[in-house]
Amino acid sequence: MQFKGTKDYISTDDLSMAVNAARSLERPLLVKGEPGTGKTLLAIEVAKALKMDLIEWHIKSTTKAQQGLYEYDAVSRLRDSQMGEKIKDVSKYIKKGKIWNAFETKKKSVLLIDEIDKADVEFPNDLLQELDKMEFYVYETGELVQSKNRPIVIITSNNEKELPDAFLRRCFFHYI
C-alpha cells in the first residue's frame, strides 16, 4: 500500500513520493519546513493511512538521545540495595524509550521524532547507529535490542539550526 494522502491531509505528489521512497529504501524521512506547515500531522496521517500504530517522541531542548532508547535508574537501584534488597533483576530499573517501543512492536509502526532541531547539536549524531542498524545494546543487562518490524521513521525539523552532514546523508529529505 502506498501513501497518497488522506481525506484529512492533502499530500502533493512530491511529498507522497518522498514518503513512499523513504519507506521503500528503509531510511528515515526528514521533513523540514516552517512551523505550522503540517510536518507532525504528516506522520499522524501516514500512520492512519497505512493502518499502523504511531509512536510519538517530541523533542525538547533538554532531551538526550539516550532517552529515546532507554533510561537506567541507578539511584533507585542504589536506594533499594541500601535498604537490604537483593538486586537480581536489573531490568526493573530500566525504562524503555520511544525507539525501543517502536523496535518491539508486533506489527510495523510509524516512529515520529518531532522537532529534532530543538535538541543539542550532537543529538542527531547520537542516533545514527541505532537508526541505521535498527538495533542497540543495553549495557546494564547485556541485551541486544533489535527491531522486529522496522518502523517507518519520520523526523521533523523547523529548520532552527543546521543538522550534521553525517545525519543528513542517512535521511531521505523533503521540504514542506
Side-chain angles (χ1 to χ4, degrees), residues 47-114:
K48 200 183 298 180
L50 302 177
K51 296 177 178 33
M52 296 179 181
D53 292 333
L54 175 67
I55 298 169
E56 299 180 66
W57 186 22
H58 300 281
I59 307 302
K60 299 176 183 173
S61 60
T62 57
T63 305
K64 301 292 179 211
Q66 180 67 32
Q67 292 171 307
L69 306 175
Y70 68 94
E71 292 182 88
Y72 174 64
D73 189 355
V75 174
S76 290
R77 182 177 178 197
L78 176 63
R79 186 184 63 241
D80 288 349
S81 67
Q82 287 174 335
M83 299 298 285
E85 192 175 317
K86 292 195 180 197
I87 311 300
K88 293 180 183 168
D89 185 14
V90 176
S91 65
K92 78 178 200 175
Y93 300 100
I94 293 178
K95 180 184 176 222
K96 296 176 182 180
K98 299 292 184 174
I99 294 174
W100 190 333
N101 291 334
F103 284 9
E104 277 191 332
T105 58
K106 293 191 183 343
K107 63 179 195 161
K108 204 163 182 70
S109 62
V110 174
L111 172 63
L112 168 64
I113 302 175
D114 199 26

Side-chain angles (χ1 to χ4, degrees), residues 6 15 29 33 92 108 121 124 139 159 170:
T6 65
L15 180 56
L29 173 62
K92 78 178 200 175
K108 204 163 182 70
V121 177
Y139 295 97
N159 230 3
R170 288 174 168 86

Side-chain angles (χ1 to χ4, degrees), residues 9-20:
Y9 192 91
I10 299 169
S11 178
T12 64
D13 290 340
D14 288 346
L15 180 56
S16 295
M17 184 182 70
V19 170
N20 293 318

